[in-house]
Amino acid sequence: MSESLDSLAPGSAPSASQVQSSFPSSTPISTPPRIHVFVTVGSTRFDALVHRVLDNDVRAALRARGYSTLVVQCGNSDFDARSFTQEGDIWRRTEDDMTIQVWRFKPSLQEEYERADLIISHAGSGTILDVLRLGKPLIVVPNETLLDNHQEELANALEGLGHLRASTISDLPQAIRTLESTKLMPFPPFNGSRFRELLDEEMGFTAGPGDRS
């Protein structure tokens, strides 16, 4: 057993173990990970989704689940930039314990998909396929303003198969709060015909170019 510093004879030098034992043991302080959510509207304009993910209800739901960074790819959508600081093509703001970033386009979204712990997306088939192939938790919000709303049919069919969570604009906070990502079914290894078969057989149509971005 090591001796304390109090037991040293006058003029004696303490050993390394005695010095160490005189201080309480410490536990390294780790910085919590900044859990990351990515929102994308692809090449489309989807004002309602962009406005919704930036509102108080959605941000509160994300914070309640531990998300601390929110990146929004807004495409051609309008949003209120007055509370943001613009740095080149990126709008930023920090509030409470959440960092928010908004930008319009990048040549590729692959890196954003890979970084994300949760993805919230419009229901374009190309975006859905890219995300499901990475095995990322996905909440899909179809654009209900589209005339031929195959997006909603696709989202509902894939939710029925257990691969993702489908939501409306109004129900998005609840979808975030109740998402159980561990219960989502992994998408099968990619087979070019698998997705086409799903589009044809589950929804009874073949996706056109406007549905794939």
Side-chain angles (χ1 to χ4, degrees), residues 52-78:
R52 189 59 162 152
V53 298
L54 294 175
D55 74 16
N56 292 332
D57 291 344
V58 167
R59 296 198 320 272
L62 290 172
R63 282 196 297 266
R65 297 298 301 268
Y67 294 100
S68 54
T69 64
L70 170 62
V71 174
V72 181
Q73 181 267 318
C74 69
N76 292 313
S77 309
D78 285 336

PDB file of all heavy atoms in Angstrom, residues 52-78:
ATOM      1  N   ARG A  52     -40.722  23.314 -42.880  1.00  0.00           N
ATOM      2  CA  ARG A  52     -41.066  22.464 -41.743  1.00  0.00           C
ATOM      3  C   ARG A  52     -39.838  22.034 -40.954  1.00  0.00           C
ATOM      4  O   ARG A  52     -39.849  22.068 -39.716  1.00  0.00           O
ATOM      5  CB  ARG A  52     -41.818  21.237 -42.239  1.00  0.00           C
ATOM      6  CG  ARG A  52     -42.415  20.369 -41.130  1.00  0.00           C
ATOM      7  CD  ARG A  52     -43.376  21.148 -40.272  1.00  0.00           C
ATOM      8  NE  ARG A  52     -44.254  20.279 -39.487  1.00  0.00           N
ATOM      9  CZ  ARG A  52     -44.782  20.626 -38.323  1.00  0.00           C
ATOM     10  NH1 ARG A  52     -44.522  21.816 -37.801  1.00  0.00           N
ATOM     11  NH2 ARG A  52     -45.587  19.807 -37.679  1.00  0.00           N
ATOM     12  N   VAL A  53     -38.772  21.637 -41.634  1.00  0.00           N
ATOM     13  CA  VAL A  53     -37.603  21.153 -40.892  1.00  0.00           C
ATOM     14  C   VAL A  53     -36.886  22.285 -40.154  1.00  0.00           C
ATOM     15  O   VAL A  53     -36.108  22.027 -39.229  1.00  0.00           O
ATOM     16  CB  VAL A  53     -36.609  20.399 -41.796  1.00  0.00           C
ATOM     17  CG1 VAL A  53     -37.259  19.159 -42.393  1.00  0.00           C
ATOM     18  CG2 VAL A  53     -36.025  21.296 -42.874  1.00  0.00           C
ATOM     19  N   LEU A  54     -37.158  23.525 -40.558  1.00  0.00           N
ATOM     20  CA  LEU A  54     -36.542  24.660 -39.881  1.00  0.00           C
ATOM     21  C   LEU A  54     -37.429  25.245 -38.789  1.00  0.00           C
ATOM     22  O   LEU A  54     -37.004  26.159 -38.081  1.00  0.00           O
ATOM     23  CB  LEU A  54     -36.188  25.763 -40.894  1.00  0.00           C
ATOM     24  CG  LEU A  54     -35.099  25.420 -41.912  1.00  0.00           C
ATOM     25  CD1 LEU A  54     -34.940  26.547 -42.922  1.00  0.00           C
ATOM     26  CD2 LEU A  54     -33.767  25.136 -41.218  1.00  0.00           C
ATOM     27  N   ASP A  55     -38.637  24.716 -38.616  1.00  0.00           N
ATOM     28  CA  ASP A  55     -39.523  25.316 -37.621  1.00  0.00           C
ATOM     29  C   ASP A  55     -39.245  24.750 -36.226  1.00  0.00           C
ATOM     30  O   ASP A  55     -38.498  23.773 -36.049  1.00  0.00           O
ATOM     31  CB  ASP A  55     -40.990  25.215 -38.020  1.00  0.00           C
ATOM     32  CG  ASP A  55     -41.596  23.826 -37.872  1.00  0.00           C
ATOM     33  OD1 ASP A  55     -41.012  22.965 -37.181  1.00  0.00           O
ATOM     34  OD2 ASP A  55     -42.688  23.598 -38.439  1.00  0.00           O
ATOM     35  N   ASN A  56     -39.872  25.367 -35.225  1.00  0.00           N
ATOM     36  CA  ASN A  56     -39.573  25.026 -33.830  1.00  0.00           C
ATOM     37  C   ASN A  56     -39.946  23.594 -33.479  1.00  0.00           C
ATOM     38  O   ASN A  56     -39.225  22.926 -32.730  1.00  0.00           O
ATOM     39  CB  ASN A  56     -40.311  25.986 -32.895  1.00  0.00           C
ATOM     40  CG  ASN A  56     -39.778  27.398 -32.961  1.00  0.00           C
ATOM     41  OD1 ASN A  56     -38.602  27.609 -33.271  1.00  0.00           O
ATOM     42  ND2 ASN A  56     -40.623  28.376 -32.673  1.00  0.00           N
ATOM     43  N   ASP A  57     -41.069  23.105 -34.004  1.00  0.00           N
ATOM     44  CA  ASP A  57     -41.539  21.770 -33.639  1.00  0.00           C
ATOM     45  C   ASP A  57     -40.567  20.682 -34.082  1.00  0.00           C
ATOM     46  O   ASP A  57     -40.268  19.753 -33.319  1.00  0.00           O
ATOM     47  CB  ASP A  57     -42.921  21.501 -34.241  1.00  0.00           C
ATOM     48  CG  ASP A  57     -44.014  22.339 -33.601  1.00  0.00           C
ATOM     49  OD1 ASP A  57     -43.760  22.895 -32.512  1.00  0.00           O
ATOM     50  OD2 ASP A  57     -45.101  22.454 -34.203  1.00  0.00           O
ATOM     51  N   VAL A  58     -40.096  20.784 -35.312  1.00  0.00           N
ATOM     52  CA  VAL A  58     -39.172  19.769 -35.819  1.00  0.00           C
ATOM     53  C   VAL A  58     -37.827  19.873 -35.108  1.00  0.00           C
ATOM     54  O   VAL A  58     -37.228  18.860 -34.727  1.00  0.00           O
ATOM     55  CB  VAL A  58     -39.013  19.884 -37.346  1.00  0.00           C
ATOM     56  CG1 VAL A  58     -37.826  19.060 -37.832  1.00  0.00           C
ATOM     57  CG2 VAL A  58     -40.293  19.427 -38.043  1.00  0.00           C
ATOM     58  N   ARG A  59     -37.336  21.082 -34.919  1.00  0.00           N
ATOM     59  CA  ARG A  59     -36.055  21.233 -34.226  1.00  0.00           C
ATOM     60  C   ARG A  59     -36.130  20.692 -32.805  1.00  0.00           C
ATOM     61  O   ARG A  59     -35.186  20.047 -32.320  1.00  0.00           O
ATOM     62  CB  ARG A  59     -35.605  22.688 -34.237  1.00  0.00           C
ATOM     63  CG  ARG A  59     -35.324  23.233 -35.630  1.00  0.00           C
ATOM     64  CD  ARG A  59     -34.484  24.498 -35.593  1.00  0.00           C
ATOM     65  NE  ARG A  59     -34.847  25.408 -34.535  1.00  0.00           N
ATOM     66  CZ  ARG A  59     -35.781  26.360 -34.629  1.00  0.00           C
ATOM     67  NH1 ARG A  59     -36.464  26.512 -35.771  1.00  0.00           N
ATOM     68  NH2 ARG A  59     -36.037  27.177 -33.611  1.00  0.00           N
ATOM     69  N   ALA A  60     -37.255  20.918 -32.136  1.00  0.00           N
ATOM     70  CA  ALA A  60     -37.424  20.390 -30.780  1.00  0.00           C
ATOM     71  C   ALA A  60     -37.441  18.861 -30.784  1.00  0.00           C
ATOM     72  O   ALA A  60     -36.854  18.214 -29.904  1.00  0.00           O
ATOM     73  CB  ALA A  60     -38.705  20.937 -30.160  1.00  0.00           C
ATOM     74  N   ALA A  61     -38.122  18.270 -31.771  1.00  0.00           N
ATOM     75  CA  ALA A  61     -38.160  16.810 -31.866  1.00  0.00           C
ATOM     76  C   ALA A  61     -36.767  16.246 -32.118  1.00  0.00           C
ATOM     77  O   ALA A  61     -36.387  15.214 -31.544  1.00  0.00           O
ATOM     78  CB  ALA A  61     -39.120  16.393 -32.976  1.00  0.00           C
ATOM     79  N   LEU A  62     -36.000  16.911 -32.976  1.00  0.00           N
ATOM     80  CA  LEU A  62     -34.635  16.451 -33.252  1.00  0.00           C
ATOM     81  C   LEU A  62     -33.755  16.560 -32.013  1.00  0.00           C
ATOM     82  O   LEU A  62     -32.997  15.641 -31.686  1.00  0.00           O
ATOM     83  CB  LEU A  62     -34.031  17.259 -34.404  1.00  0.00           C
ATOM     84  CG  LEU A  62     -34.631  17.007 -35.791  1.00  0.00           C
ATOM     85  CD1 LEU A  62     -34.086  18.016 -36.794  1.00  0.00           C
ATOM     86  CD2 LEU A  62     -34.329  15.587 -36.263  1.00  0.00           C
ATOM     87  N   ARG A  63     -33.843  17.689 -31.312  1.00  0.00           N
ATOM     88  CA  ARG A  63     -33.035  17.852 -30.104  1.00  0.00           C
ATOM     89  C   ARG A  63     -33.400  16.806 -29.053  1.00  0.00           C
ATOM     90  O   ARG A  63     -32.530  16.274 -28.354  1.00  0.00           O
ATOM     91  CB  ARG A  63     -33.206  19.259 -29.539  1.00  0.00           C
ATOM     92  CG  ARG A  63     -32.417  20.322 -30.294  1.00  0.00           C
ATOM     93  CD  ARG A  63     -32.307  21.603 -29.476  1.00  0.00           C
ATOM     94  NE  ARG A  63     -33.627  22.183 -29.236  1.00  0.00           N
ATOM     95  CZ  ARG A  63     -34.179  23.123 -30.007  1.00  0.00           C
ATOM     96  NH1 ARG A  63     -33.531  23.576 -31.063  1.00  0.00           N
ATOM     97  NH2 ARG A  63     -35.378  23.607 -29.723  1.00  0.00           N
ATOM     98  N   ALA A  64     -34.687  16.492 -28.952  1.00  0.00           N
ATOM     99  CA  ALA A  64     -35.125  15.496 -27.980  1.00  0.00           C
ATOM    100  C   ALA A  64     -34.542  14.115 -28.270  1.00  0.00           C
ATOM    101  O   ALA A  64     -34.361  13.307 -27.355  1.00  0.00           O
ATOM    102  CB  ALA A  64     -36.651  15.417 -27.952  1.00  0.00           C
ATOM    103  N   ARG A  65     -34.230  13.850 -29.532  1.00  0.00           N
ATOM    104  CA  ARG A  65     -33.617  12.578 -29.919  1.00  0.00           C
ATOM    105  C   ARG A  65     -32.098  12.644 -29.948  1.00  0.00           C
ATOM    106  O   ARG A  65     -31.439  11.681 -30.333  1.00  0.00           O
ATOM    107  CB  ARG A  65     -34.145  12.133 -31.297  1.00  0.00           C
ATOM    108  CG  ARG A  65     -35.629  11.845 -31.388  1.00  0.00           C
ATOM    109  CD  ARG A  65     -36.057  10.688 -30.472  1.00  0.00           C
ATOM    110  NE  ARG A  65     -35.374   9.442 -30.776  1.00  0.00           N
ATOM    111  CZ  ARG A  65     -35.840   8.504 -31.616  1.00  0.00           C
ATOM    112  NH1 ARG A  65     -37.008   8.699 -32.237  1.00  0.00           N
ATOM    113  NH2 ARG A  65     -35.182   7.397 -31.809  1.00  0.00           N
ATOM    114  N   GLY A  66     -31.533  13.794 -29.553  1.00  0.00           N
ATOM    115  CA  GLY A  66     -30.086  13.916 -29.439  1.00  0.00           C
ATOM    116  C   GLY A  66     -29.374  14.491 -30.641  1.00  0.00           C
ATOM    117  O   GLY A  66     -28.149  14.561 -30.655  1.00  0.00           O
ATOM    118  N   TYR A  67     -30.125  14.931 -31.650  1.00  0.00           N
ATOM    119  CA  TYR A  67     -29.484  15.491 -32.839  1.00  0.00           C
ATOM    120  C   TYR A  67     -29.022  16.916 -32.561  1.00  0.00           C
ATOM    121  O   TYR A  67     -29.757  17.723 -31.998  1.00  0.00           O
ATOM    122  CB  TYR A  67     -30.438  15.464 -34.032  1.00  0.00           C
ATOM    123  CG  TYR A  67     -30.770  14.057 -34.471  1.00  0.00           C
ATOM    124  CD1 TYR A  67     -31.971  13.466 -34.093  1.00  0.00           C
ATOM    125  CD2 TYR A  67     -29.868  13.314 -35.214  1.00  0.00           C
ATOM    126  CE1 TYR A  67     -32.264  12.170 -34.454  1.00  0.00           C
ATOM    127  CE2 TYR A  67     -30.162  12.011 -35.578  1.00  0.00           C
ATOM    128  CZ  TYR A  67     -31.364  11.445 -35.208  1.00  0.00           C
ATOM    129  OH  TYR A  67     -31.647  10.147 -35.560  1.00  0.00           O
ATOM    130  N   SER A  68     -27.801  17.213 -32.948  1.00  0.00           N
ATOM    131  CA  SER A  68     -27.237  18.530 -32.650  1.00  0.00           C
ATOM    132  C   SER A  68     -26.740  19.268 -33.884  1.00  0.00           C
ATOM    133  O   SER A  68     -26.374  20.437 -33.790  1.00  0.00           O
ATOM    134  CB  SER A  68     -26.084  18.403 -31.651  1.00  0.00           C
ATOM    135  OG  SER A  68     -25.118  17.473 -32.114  1.00  0.00           O
ATOM    136  N   THR A  69     -26.704  18.625 -35.036  1.00  0.00           N
ATOM    137  CA  THR A  69     -26.388  19.320 -36.281  1.00  0.00           C
ATOM    138  C   THR A  69     -27.463  18.988 -37.313  1.00  0.00           C
ATOM    139  O   THR A  69     -27.867  17.838 -37.460  1.00  0.00           O
ATOM    140  CB  THR A  69     -24.999  18.948 -36.848  1.00  0.00           C
ATOM    141  OG1 THR A  69     -24.971  17.565 -37.202  1.00  0.00           O
ATOM    142  CG2 THR A  69     -23.907  19.234 -35.839  1.00  0.00           C
ATOM    143  N   LEU A  70     -27.925  20.023 -38.000  1.00  0.00           N
ATOM    144  CA  LEU A  70     -28.982  19.901 -39.015  1.00  0.00           C
ATOM    145  C   LEU A  70     -28.476  20.554 -40.289  1.00  0.00           C
ATOM    146  O   LEU A  70     -28.176  21.745 -40.301  1.00  0.00           O
ATOM    147  CB  LEU A  70     -30.250  20.583 -38.529  1.00  0.00           C
ATOM    148  CG  LEU A  70     -31.395  20.770 -39.536  1.00  0.00           C
ATOM    149  CD1 LEU A  70     -31.899  19.428 -40.042  1.00  0.00           C
ATOM    150  CD2 LEU A  70     -32.532  21.572 -38.903  1.00  0.00           C
ATOM    151  N   VAL A  71     -28.359  19.765 -41.349  1.00  0.00           N
ATOM    152  CA  VAL A  71     -27.939  20.270 -42.650  1.00  0.00           C
ATOM    153  C   VAL A  71     -29.091  20.093 -43.620  1.00  0.00           C
ATOM    154  O   VAL A  71     -29.636  18.985 -43.755  1.00  0.00           O
ATOM    155  CB  VAL A  71     -26.685  19.538 -43.163  1.00  0.00           C
ATOM    156  CG1 VAL A  71     -26.349  19.982 -44.579  1.00  0.00           C
ATOM    157  CG2 VAL A  71     -25.500  19.801 -42.239  1.00  0.00           C
ATOM    158  N   VAL A  72     -29.468  21.184 -44.291  1.00  0.00           N
ATOM    159  CA  VAL A  72     -30.623  21.178 -45.189  1.00  0.00           C
ATOM    160  C   VAL A  72     -30.169  21.527 -46.596  1.00  0.00           C
ATOM    161  O   VAL A  72     -29.658  22.623 -46.837  1.00  0.00           O
ATOM    162  CB  VAL A  72     -31.695  22.187 -44.718  1.00  0.00           C
ATOM    163  CG1 VAL A  72     -32.904  22.141 -45.648  1.00  0.00           C
ATOM    164  CG2 VAL A  72     -32.098  21.924 -43.275  1.00  0.00           C
ATOM    165  N   GLN A  73     -30.349  20.590 -47.522  1.00  0.00           N
ATOM    166  CA  GLN A  73     -30.125  20.856 -48.942  1.00  0.00           C
ATOM    167  C   GLN A  73     -31.483  21.259 -49.495  1.00  0.00           C
ATOM    168  O   GLN A  73     -32.385  20.441 -49.628  1.00  0.00           O
ATOM    169  CB  GLN A  73     -29.580  19.603 -49.634  1.00  0.00           C
ATOM    170  CG  GLN A  73     -29.296  19.789 -51.127  1.00  0.00           C
ATOM    171  CD  GLN A  73     -30.472  19.392 -52.014  1.00  0.00           C
ATOM    172  OE1 GLN A  73     -31.120  18.382 -51.771  1.00  0.00           O
ATOM    173  NE2 GLN A  73     -30.748  20.193 -53.021  1.00  0.00           N
ATOM    174  N   CYS A  74     -31.634  22.564 -49.798  1.00  0.00           N
ATOM    175  CA  CYS A  74     -32.968  23.106 -50.076  1.00  0.00           C
ATOM    176  C   CYS A  74     -33.283  23.215 -51.563  1.00  0.00           C
ATOM    177  O   CYS A  74     -34.400  23.599 -51.923  1.00  0.00           O
ATOM    178  CB  CYS A  74     -33.124  24.471 -49.401  1.00  0.00           C
ATOM    179  SG  CYS A  74     -32.108  25.792 -50.108  1.00  0.00           S
ATOM    180  N   GLY A  75     -32.326  22.901 -52.451  1.00  0.00           N
ATOM    181  CA  GLY A  75     -32.609  22.977 -53.873  1.00  0.00           C
ATOM    182  C   GLY A  75     -33.087  24.357 -54.283  1.00  0.00           C
ATOM    183  O   GLY A  75     -32.501  25.373 -53.894  1.00  0.00           O
ATOM    184  N   ASN A  76     -34.169  24.399 -55.030  1.00  0.00           N
ATOM    185  CA  ASN A  76     -34.737  25.679 -55.481  1.00  0.00           C
ATOM    186  C   ASN A  76     -35.798  26.223 -54.526  1.00  0.00           C
ATOM    187  O   ASN A  76     -36.513  27.168 -54.879  1.00  0.00           O
ATOM    188  CB  ASN A  76     -35.339  25.506 -56.887  1.00  0.00           C
ATOM    189  CG  ASN A  76     -34.278  25.263 -57.940  1.00  0.00           C
ATOM    190  OD1 ASN A  76     -33.277  25.965 -57.989  1.00  0.00           O
ATOM    191  ND2 ASN A  76     -34.486  24.246 -58.774  1.00  0.00           N
ATOM    192  N   SER A  77     -35.900  25.641 -53.342  1.00  0.00           N
ATOM    193  CA  SER A  77     -36.935  26.049 -52.396  1.00  0.00           C
ATOM    194  C   SER A  77     -36.623  27.413 -51.795  1.00  0.00           C
ATOM    195  O   SER A  77     -35.463  27.802 -51.635  1.00  0.00           O
ATOM    196  CB  SER A  77     -37.045  25.022 -51.268  1.00  0.00           C
ATOM    197  OG  SER A  77     -37.184  23.714 -51.778  1.00  0.00           O
ATOM    198  N   ASP A  78     -37.689  28.116 -51.440  1.00  0.00           N
ATOM    199  CA  ASP A  78     -37.547  29.375 -50.704  1.00  0.00           C
ATOM    200  C   ASP A  78     -37.505  29.091 -49.206  1.00  0.00           C
ATOM    201  O   ASP A  78     -38.143  28.155 -48.727  1.00  0.00           O
ATOM    202  CB  ASP A  78     -38.731  30.301 -50.999  1.00  0.00           C
ATOM    203  CG  ASP A  78     -38.637  30.935 -52.373  1.00  0.00           C
ATOM    204  OD1 ASP A  78     -37.512  31.050 -52.898  1.00  0.00           O
ATOM    205  OD2 ASP A  78     -39.697  31.307 -52.918  1.00  0.00           O
TER     206      ASP A  78
END
